Amino acid sequence: MYDGHIHTPYCPHGSNASIESYIEQAIKLGYSSMCFTEHAPLPLNFEDPVPDRDSAMSMKNIESYIKEINQLKRVYESDIKINLGLEVDYIKGFEQETAGFLNEYGPYLDDSILSVHFLEIKNKWYCIDFSKEMYKSAEQAAQTSESLYKIYFQVLEDSALKDLGPYKPNRIGHMSLIKKFQNIYAPPANWTDMAESFLDIVKRQGLSLDYNGAGLVKEYCKESYPPAAIAALASKKGIPLIYGSDAHHPQGLKQGYSQLETSLISKSP
């Protein structure tokens, strides 16, 4: 049981539960290994579009985060394998800053994720999973749901293709995050065509996918990221699917796991 997507108290929009409490819960659930993937600090010149500017860990905490995880690796080494990672945002136009960050901190990491949360539409930034209101504003700015999905999948493709240096994460985070509010704002009929085209890029680039259970417990989503049919197609193409709880609290560990087609999940990154 490997969980490759877990947050910590270093996440400003998560819980204050200690990292030890995540580890103890993981052991109780039968995990053999886990990876902490806190939201990496955003580029200094990028302004977080969410009201509280709390999408990611502060740059001042990155070294403390690395030090604490490494200490806990040693404390729990006889009980569970702990990996140190980050969830790195791909933000179009900020590739140079992201590559610079990865060049500095990548050597310390065991395993990481590259995710898209932020879209620029008509010179304004939106965090597409922050709230249904911000999602609706993004859709209105794009004019149609199809246009919004096209923008999202284009940025997702860019994230897979761009050279971010030798420490670029090799796993794409929650590739269908754009569907978080699908039960309020229906996806376009051709969204699966976009997703399938993206899978071809993932395959060519030799990347893996975060098979994320968090969407299954989201009020307006109720499906994994990516959904089962897309996950099955990815597996058929030979793309590794790495389970991620995306937990922001110890009780979120293993969320959605029993509902996923577990036979598709790769046992390690």
Side-chain angles (χ1 to χ4, degrees), residues 149 153 175 179 187-199 227 229-230 233:
Y149 271 64
F153 274 98
M175 65 164 277
K179 298 187 74 192
N190 64 339
W191 93 268
T192 55
D193 295 335
M194 303 179 204
E196 290 175 13
S197 294
F198 178 63
L199 291 183
I230 299 298
L233 181 59

Side-chain angles (χ1 to χ4, degrees), residues 52-269:
D52 292 334
R53 309 290 190 265
D54 62 352
S55 293
M57 173 171 40
S58 170
M59 191 66 198
K60 67 182 181 183
N61 291 330
I62 183 68
E63 293 188 8
S64 295
Y65 168 74
I66 291 170
K67 181 179 179 181
E68 185 171 357
I69 300 296
N70 282 331
Q71 287 174 338
L72 291 170
K73 281 185 181 186
R74 294 188 289 272
V75 171
Y76 287 94
E77 63 183 350
S78 63
D79 301 301
I80 188 170
K81 184 179 187 330
I82 297 171
N83 283 339
L84 168 64
L86 289 169
E87 181 177 10
V88 179
D89 271 287
Y90 177 79
I91 306 175
K92 192 171 177 62
F94 291 83
E95 293 88 350
Q96 186 173 348
E97 292 92 329
T98 302
F101 172 84
L102 287 168
N103 284 338
E104 183 171 359
Y105 293 102
Y108 300 101
L109 306 179
D110 301 309
D111 180 26
S112 287
I113 300 169
L114 189 65
S115 296
V116 172
H117 297 93
F118 304 105
L119 299 179
E120 185 180 27
I121 306 170
K122 296 180 179 176
N123 298 314
K124 184 174 180 179
W125 286 96
Y126 300 87
C127 180
I128 51 96
D129 69 316
F130 174 70
S131 68
K132 59 184 187 296
E133 291 80 13
M134 188 171 288
Y135 179 92
K136 181 61 176 177
S137 295
E139 186 178 84
Q140 289 173 335
Q143 299 187 325
T144 66
S145 64
E146 181 175 2
S147 295
L148 180 61
Y149 271 64
K150 283 182 177 178
I151 293 168
Y152 174 76
F153 274 98
Q154 182 58 63
V155 176
L156 206 61
E157 290 178 10
D158 289 345
S159 76
L161 293 169
K162 289 289 184 178
D163 180 7
L164 298 177
Y167 300 104
K168 177 181 177 178
N170 64 6
R171 183 156 80 258
I172 299 296
H174 39 54
M175 65 164 277
S176 59
L177 186 66
I178 189 74
K179 298 187 74 192
K180 182 176 179 179
F181 304 106
Q182 65 172 339
N183 293 328
I184 306 175
Y185 307 117
N190 64 339
W191 93 268
T192 55
D193 295 335
M194 303 179 204
E196 290 175 13
S197 294
F198 178 63
L199 291 183
D200 291 335
I201 292 172
V202 171
K203 174 63 176 176
R204 288 199 302 272
Q205 295 299 111
L207 303 172
S208 62
L209 289 177
D210 173 34
Y211 196 13
N212 191 304
L216 284 159
V217 299
K218 299 300 182 186
E219 181 180 4
Y220 303 116
C221 185
K222 301 300 183 184
E223 70 178 17
S224 58
Y225 310 125
I230 299 298
L233 181 59
S235 184
K236 186 176 180 180
K237 290 176 180 289
I239 298 169
L241 296 160
I242 310 301
Y243 169 72
S245 64
D246 208 345
H248 285 69
H249 186 279
Q251 294 306 311
L253 293 175
K254 213 172 182 179
Q255 65 186 349
Y257 187 85
S258 63
Q259 294 162 271
L260 300 180
E261 297 180 31
T262 56
S263 63
L264 298 178
I265 298 172
S266 302
K267 300 305 179 186
S268 62

